């Protein structure tokens, strides 16, 4: 394929797309989007459990610095945020 005198076809590139490749690509997009949405839901749950964004940020900073702030919130909630 030539466009503006530049060959855009790479060596070994398939010009014909097959059904399994298409299904795999669509599946990858769906799964990666679902993973991001699930992580966002966990973060929202954590923010609600701590009582707001500022409190959540303070708790996370204490956790990062090694403080005991995670004991004030649900231990399982904090652990689930990192998984």
């Amino acid at each position: 394929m030539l466009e503006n005198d530049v060959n855009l076809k790479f060596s070994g590139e398939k010009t014909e797309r097959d059904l399994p490749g298409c299904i795999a690509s669509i599946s990858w997009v769906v799964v990666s989007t679902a993973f991001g949405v699930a992580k966002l839901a966990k973060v929202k749950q954590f923010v609600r459990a701590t009582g707001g964004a500022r409190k959540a940020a303070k708790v996370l900073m204490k956790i990062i610095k090694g403080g005991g702030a995670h004991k004030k919130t649900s231990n399982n909630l904090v652990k689930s945020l990192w998984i």
Side-chain angles (χ1 to χ4, degrees):
M1 181 170 113
L2 289 175
E3 188 173 305
N4 296 330
D5 296 326
V6 177
N7 187 2
L8 297 177
K9 184 175 179 183
F10 299 103
S11 61
E13 180 185 11
K14 288 185 186 179
T15 56
E16 189 178 305
R17 305 292 182 225
D18 54 349
L19 184 63
C22 191
I23 291 171
S25 297
I26 292 171
S27 300
W28 181 83
V29 168
V30 169
V31 169
S32 62
T33 302
F35 182 75
V37 169
K39 282 293 186 182
L40 184 59
K42 283 185 177 187
V43 170
K44 280 182 73 174
Q45 181 184 11
F46 179 74
V47 170
R48 283 187 189 145
T50 54
R54 284 187 182 185
K55 288 182 182 178
K58 287 180 183 179
V59 169
L60 286 175
M61 290 306 294
K62 287 182 180 179
I63 291 170
I64 291 170
K65 291 179 181 178
H70 64 281
K71 294 177 184 174
K72 295 179 184 176
T73 61
S74 168
N75 229 357
N76 292 334
L77 183 61
V78 173
K79 286 181 183 176
S80 70
L81 190 63
W82 303 117
I83 295 175

